[in-house]
Amino acid sequence: MSSDLRFAIRQLLRNKTFTAVALTVLTLAVGANILVFSLVHPVLFEPLPFPEPDRLVRILHVDAAGRARARVSEAQAQAVLRDAETLQVSAAENTGLAITDSETPLNPLMRRVSDGHFELLGVTPLLGRTFTPEEHRGDAARVLVLHEAFWHSYFGGDDAVLGRTLELADEPYEIVGVIPATFNNPIFPQPPVLWLPYGEKAESPTRANVTVIGRTAPDAGRRAVGQELQAIADDVAAVHPEALAGSTLRAEPLHRSLVAPMRPALLMLLFAVGLVLLVACGNIANLLLARAISRRQEIAVRLALGAGRWQLARQLLIEGLVLALISGALGLLLASWTLGPLLALAPANTPLPMLERISIDGEIVLFTLGLALAVSLIFGLLPLTQLRRDVADRLSAGATRAVGGGGRIRRGLVIAEIALSTLLLVAAGLTLRSLEHWRSLSPGFDPDGLVTGRVGARGPGFETPDSFEPFHRRSMDELAALPGVERVAACQFLPQFAGTFGNTTAVTREPEAALEKWPRAVVMASTPGFFETFGQPLLAGRGLNDLDRSDTPDVAVISRNVEARLWGELGASIGEELWLADGDPPKPVRIVGVAGDLRGLITSPEPPAILYRPLAQHPVPNLTYLFRTRSTIEQLKPAVEATVWSQLTRDAPVYSFRDVGQLMRDIEWQPRFMVQLLSVFATLALVMAAAGLYGVLAYTVAERRREIGLRMAVGANRRQIVRRIQGDAARLGAVGLGLGLAASFAAGLGFEQILLGVAAFDAATYGGVLLVLTSVIGVASWLPAWRASQVDPVEALRTD
C-alpha cells in the first residue's frame, strides 16, 4: 500500500498540469460543499441546545382561515399556563422599562418570563437563583435576573450584586440571579439584558405578543396534546368570540417551527452545491479517463508481466484518493476563510436561528473526510472500466491507434455535466427573477430620509390609557423642532410589518353575518400627519387629524385591499360604517379615508389589511416615531433622548432607532444571499461543463487526426471540418440541454416554494438559460474545431 501511495504521489507530481487542474476543480467544488453544509447543518439537522429537545413544542395560534402565527394572545397564553396538563409550559414576551438610576436613562431589551422558563430550557444560574412560583403571582414581585454581559458592563462583574436593587421606571427591583452568557436561546435570537417575572396579566384577546413553548409529558401523545389545546382554545374563544371565534391552538415541534421559513431555501442550496460536486466529479473522471487511456500501453505491459487487476485498480483508486484528500484539505481551508466574511454580511438583527452555532468544527471535518472518500470513489471507478479489455488487444499492433477508447463514457459525462449545469442555471435564474420581481414592487411608501425610533408612555403617571395620547402629542411637538427634522408622526408599529403581527381584529360591513366569517385586519393606532410623514398615498377621503379626539365619533382610514374586499369600488367606503369585533358587542367606526396598499414582506408578500385608528380613540403606550429628517441616526438618537428625558420624563423608554431604507435592504438579505450563492454555483458548474466539453472535443480531434487528414486529402475543406466538429458539440449539448430542461420541469414544484411572482416554468428564464448555454457550447467547441481545420493532411497521414 505504501509503495502504491508513493507511486501515486510521483505520478501526480510528474503531471503538474493535470494535477493543478484537477485540484483546482475539486477544491472549489468540495469547498463549496463544506461551506454550504456548515451553514445548513446546525440550522436544519442539529438538535436544539436544550434538554430533551425532541419533546419541545411551540404553541401556535391558528385563525379561522387556517393561517398560523408563532405568537398567541395574552388571553390564550394565560389559559394555556393555567389549564395545560399534557405540557410543561412557559410563556415569554419582550418588554421595556427605562433603567432610571443611571446618569442617563437606559432602555435595553428586557423579557418577562413565566414560572419554570429557565428550568424548561435547562439553564443553571451563574449566580443566585431564578424566580420562585410566588414571584409570578398577582402583579409579579419586583425582582429580576441579569444577563452575564450586563452584569459585567453595568456592575463590573461584582459578586456581591445579589440583593442589590436596580431602578426600572423609578421603582426598585431586587437582583436575585445572573444567567450565564452561554445560554443560547434560538427562540429569541437577541438576548435581553435582564428578565422579569411574567405575572398575571389582563387577559387581552387581541394583544398577540406572547411566545409559548412547552415540553410534552412523557406519556402524552400528539393526539392528547392537540385535543387539550383545542379544548383550551374553544374555552377562550367562548369568552372572547369577537376576537377569537373560529381560532384554535396547535403544538408544533419547536425545531420545525424555527426553521420552517428558511427550510426550502437551505435545502435548495444543499441540492445546488451537490450538483456542483457531481459536475466536478464528471470533470475529474474525464481527466482520469484520459490519463488511463493514454496509459493503456503501460497498463497492458504490467498486466502481461503478471500484475493483477486488483493491484491496478488499487493503484488508480489511490491516485484518486490522494487527489480527493488534498482537495478536501484545501476545500476545508477555503471554506474556513470564506465562512466568516459570509456570516458578516448578515444584518445584526437577522432572524436566522442558531446563526452563532455555524462554524467549522469536528463534524465538518468528518463530513469533509467522508466527502473526499465518496468523491474519490465516484471519479476513480470510471477509469477502471478500461481494464476490462483483453491483454492481447492492448499489446496488438493497432493498440497505439486505438488510443481513443472510452469515448462513450467521456461523452456521457459531458452530457451529464451540461444537464446538471442547465438545472442549476434554471434554479439561479428563477430565484433571481423572483427577487427582482419583489424589488420591482412599490413598497407603498417613501423610505428615503425616514428614520424610526420607539418611544413609550411608561412609568409613573402613565397608568391609564387616557394619559398616552397627551404625552405622545407633547413629545412630537418638542421633537418636531429639532434641527434637521422636517416632519414627525407616529404609529403603533411599522405598517410594512403589519402582516407579521398578531393583533388582528375581525371587521365587516354586515354585522349580522356569523363572526367567524368576518375578514380580519390589523388595527393600528396612528397620529395626525402619519400618511404625509410616512409617504403613503391617500387614494380617497382624508387622513387622520387633530379633530379626531376621544370625545368625537370613532373614525378610521382603511387600506385599499380592505375596501376592495368589502366595497369593491375605490372611494365607495367613504362615509360608510365598518364594524369592529374588538368589544362586546362589536362597535362601528366611520370610514374617512382610503390609503394605498403596502408591499408585504418577501416571506409574506400579500399586502397587509390595515385599519388606521386615531391614537386618541385607540390609545396604546408604545409608538414607533417616524422622522422625516436630513440627520443620521447617530445625530438624531441622542437629540431625541435628551429632549424626551429632559423636557418630558426620564421614565419613557426611547429605543430601537432604525434607518428605514437600511431596514428594507436587511429584509431582502436572505433571498439575496441565496441568489448570490446559487449564481456562483451555477457559474462554476457552467465553467466546468464548458471545460469538460472542450476537453472531450480536443481529445476527439487528436484521436481523429488521421481521419481528418484523410477527409481533407480527398477534398473536404476547412469550413466542413469546423462544421463537423461543432456538429458533434451541438449534439452533445442538445442532449444535455434536453435532459437538464426535463429535470428542471420535474423540479418545478420544489422551485415554487421559494418563488414570488414568478412561475416555476417561467419562459423568460428558460429562454435565457438556453441562450447562455448555447453560447457557451459554441465558444467551448470553436477552438477544437479551428484546430481540426488546421490539420496538415500530409503530416497526419505520414505520422500514422
Side-chain angles (χ1 to χ4, degrees), residues 216-527:
T216 58
D219 57 346
R222 293 183 61 181
R223 172 175 287 188
V225 172
Q227 290 174 342
E228 181 178 67
L229 289 175
Q230 180 68 61
I232 293 173
D234 290 344
D235 291 343
V236 179
V239 178
H240 304 286
E242 72 286 352
L244 300 173
S247 66
T248 188
L249 296 171
R250 185 179 78 210
E252 183 172 284
L254 181 58
H255 186 272
R256 184 194 303 169
S257 74
L258 289 173
V259 304
M262 65 206 72
R263 183 181 180 85
L266 291 177
L267 289 177
M268 172 70 83
L269 282 180
L270 205 57
F271 172 71
V273 81
L275 295 185
V276 171
L277 184 62
L278 289 177
V279 174
C281 287
N283 233 293
I284 302 304
N286 252 330
L287 288 172
L288 287 174
L289 190 55
R291 287 189 71 233
I293 292 170
S294 66
R295 294 169 62 188
R296 287 177 65 188
Q297 194 70 15
E298 170 205 334
I299 292 172
V301 171
R302 294 176 66 184
L303 284 170
L305 294 176
R309 290 180 182 272
W310 163 242
Q311 289 177 302
L312 294 175
R314 186 178 64 189
Q315 179 62 58
L316 292 175
L317 283 173
I318 287 177
E319 287 185 25
L321 182 59
V322 170
L323 271 178
L325 289 176
I326 295 174
S327 63
L330 293 175
L332 190 64
L333 189 62
L334 177 65
S336 64
W337 286 345
T338 310
L339 186 61
L342 271 181
L343 294 179
L345 296 176
N349 63 335
T350 179
L352 183 66
M354 296 157 283
L355 188 66
E356 67 284 347
R357 298 169 66 188
I358 295 174
S359 63
I360 304 293
D361 55 15
E363 289 185 342
I364 302 299
V365 174
L366 290 176
F367 170 78
T368 304
L369 180 60
L371 191 64
L373 293 174
V375 164
S376 66
L377 287 174
I378 291 173
F379 63 63
L381 288 175
L382 281 173
L384 299 183
T385 60
Q386 298 307 301
L387 298 180
R388 297 177 183 173
R389 296 185 180 275
D390 187 77
V391 174
D393 292 340
R394 297 174 187 273
L395 295 173
S396 65
T400 57
R401 290 196 303 268
V403 165
R408 289 183 181 177
I409 296 176
R410 301 193 71 205
R411 285 190 284 272
L413 289 171
V414 169
I415 288 172
E417 290 178 44
I418 293 173
L420 295 175
S421 300
T422 303
L423 182 56
L424 265 176
L425 283 171
V426 168
L430 288 174
T431 51
L432 177 60
R433 292 259 298 160
S434 177
L435 179 60
E436 291 303 318
H437 170 79
W438 186 81
R439 284 174 169 172
S440 69
L441 301 175
S442 169
F445 72 101
D446 180 12
D448 294 333
L450 191 63
V451 173
T452 69
R454 296 279 286 175
V455 178
R458 293 187 177 273
F462 301 116
E463 291 83 5
T464 58
D466 58 6
S467 63
F468 301 157
E469 193 272 339
F471 165 77
H472 286 298
R473 181 166 19 92
R474 293 196 309 272
S475 178
M476 285 185 289
D477 288 343
E478 296 289 342
L479 296 176
L482 291 177
V485 174
E486 299 171 358
R487 302 186 68 96
V488 181
C491 56
Q492 197 166 346
F493 42 77
L494 269 181
Q496 190 73 11
F497 298 89
T500 65
F501 285 83
N503 53 337
T504 61
T505 297
V507 298
T508 187
R509 56 180 297 195
E510 300 173 352
E512 65 277 3
L515 191 57
E516 61 270 16
K517 296 185 181 298
W518 291 18
R520 304 191 72 85
V522 176
V523 178
M524 188 170 70
S526 307
T527 65

Side-chain angles (χ1 to χ4, degrees), residues 468-762:
F468 301 157
E469 193 272 339
F471 165 77
H472 286 298
R473 181 166 19 92
R474 293 196 309 272
S475 178
M476 285 185 289
D477 288 343
E478 296 289 342
L479 296 176
L482 291 177
V485 174
E486 299 171 358
R487 302 186 68 96
V488 181
C491 56
Q492 197 166 346
F493 42 77
L494 269 181
Q496 190 73 11
F497 298 89
T500 65
F501 285 83
N503 53 337
T504 61
T505 297
V507 298
T508 187
R509 56 180 297 195
E510 300 173 352
E512 65 277 3
L515 191 57
E516 61 270 16
K517 296 185 181 298
W518 291 18
R520 304 191 72 85
V522 176
V523 178
M524 188 170 70
S526 307
T527 65
F530 163 75
F531 296 104
E532 295 81 358
T533 304
F534 193 53
Q536 183 178 1
L538 282 168
L539 306 180
R542 66 171 177 86
L544 306 176
N545 58 42
D546 293 324
L547 299 178
D548 301 319
R549 303 186 305 271
S550 58
D551 57 351
T552 60
D554 287 342
V555 298
V557 174
I558 60 176
S559 57
R560 172 61 184 137
N561 55 359
V562 175
E563 183 186 51
R565 178 168 183 176
L566 297 179
W567 279 274
E569 184 181 351
L570 176 62
S573 63
I574 302 300
E576 298 290 327
E577 285 187 337
L578 182 68
W579 293 79
L580 277 62
D582 61 353
D584 190 12
K587 67 178 182 180
V589 296
R590 185 77 59 186
I591 306 301
V592 297
V594 178
D597 286 334
L598 301 171
R599 180 183 66 187
L601 303 180
I602 197 164
T603 53
S604 51
E606 288 298 316
I610 308 177
L611 268 71
Y612 304 88
R613 297 290 317 282
L615 177 63
Q617 298 177 0
H618 186 75
V620 294
N622 288 358
L623 290 180
T624 294
Y625 279 35
L626 307 168
F627 301 90
R628 188 64 65 179
T629 178
R630 299 182 301 276
S631 303
T632 64
I633 290 179
E634 291 73 18
Q635 296 168 330
L636 183 66
K637 184 175 183 290
V640 172
E641 291 173 337
T643 300
V644 172
W645 292 334
S646 65
Q647 300 185 33
L648 298 170
T649 174
R650 284 174 51 88
D651 300 324
V654 181
Y655 60 102
S656 193
F657 278 75
R658 299 293 304 273
D659 179 275
V660 177
Q662 183 60 49
L663 179 62
M664 300 298 291
R665 290 186 287 275
D666 289 348
I667 290 172
E668 66 180 43
W669 171 78
Q670 287 188 39
R672 187 176 65 246
F673 179 71
M674 180 181 172
V675 166
Q676 291 168 344
L677 280 184
L678 276 177
S679 300
V680 169
F681 297 157
T683 303
L684 185 59
L686 184 61
V687 170
M688 287 191 291
L693 177 62
Y694 168 81
V696 165
L697 292 176
Y699 199 84
T700 300
V701 169
E703 177 189 19
R704 295 169 59 186
R705 182 180 176 85
R706 180 176 181 277
E707 174 201 334
I708 293 170
L710 187 58
R711 288 180 180 276
M712 297 182 73
V714 298
N717 60 37
R718 297 182 188 278
R719 183 174 300 175
Q720 289 173 321
I721 297 298
V722 168
R723 278 205 304 266
R724 187 172 186 85
I725 299 299
Q726 289 196 312
D728 291 343
R731 283 188 288 274
L732 292 176
V735 176
L737 275 171
L739 292 175
L741 292 176
S744 300
F745 276 109
L749 293 178
F751 292 153
E752 284 182 346
Q753 297 184 52
I754 59 171
L755 299 180
L756 172 64
V758 178
F761 311 109
D762 178 58

Side-chain angles (χ1 to χ4, degrees), residues 705 794-800:
R705 182 180 176 85
V794 176
E795 196 65 33
L797 294 173
R798 180 184 300 125
T799 302
D800 185 70

Side-chain angles (χ1 to χ4, degrees), residues 47-83:
L48 295 174
F50 305 127
E52 300 179 282
D54 56 320
R55 288 172 49 203
L56 288 174
V57 296
R58 188 173 197 161
I59 310 304
L60 306 179
H61 168 94
V62 183
D63 64 19
R67 295 183 296 262
R69 67 169 185 251
R71 295 176 182 175
V72 304
S73 69
E74 292 175 348
Q76 291 169 321
Q78 293 284 8
V80 173
L81 289 171
R82 182 179 60 247
D83 300 332

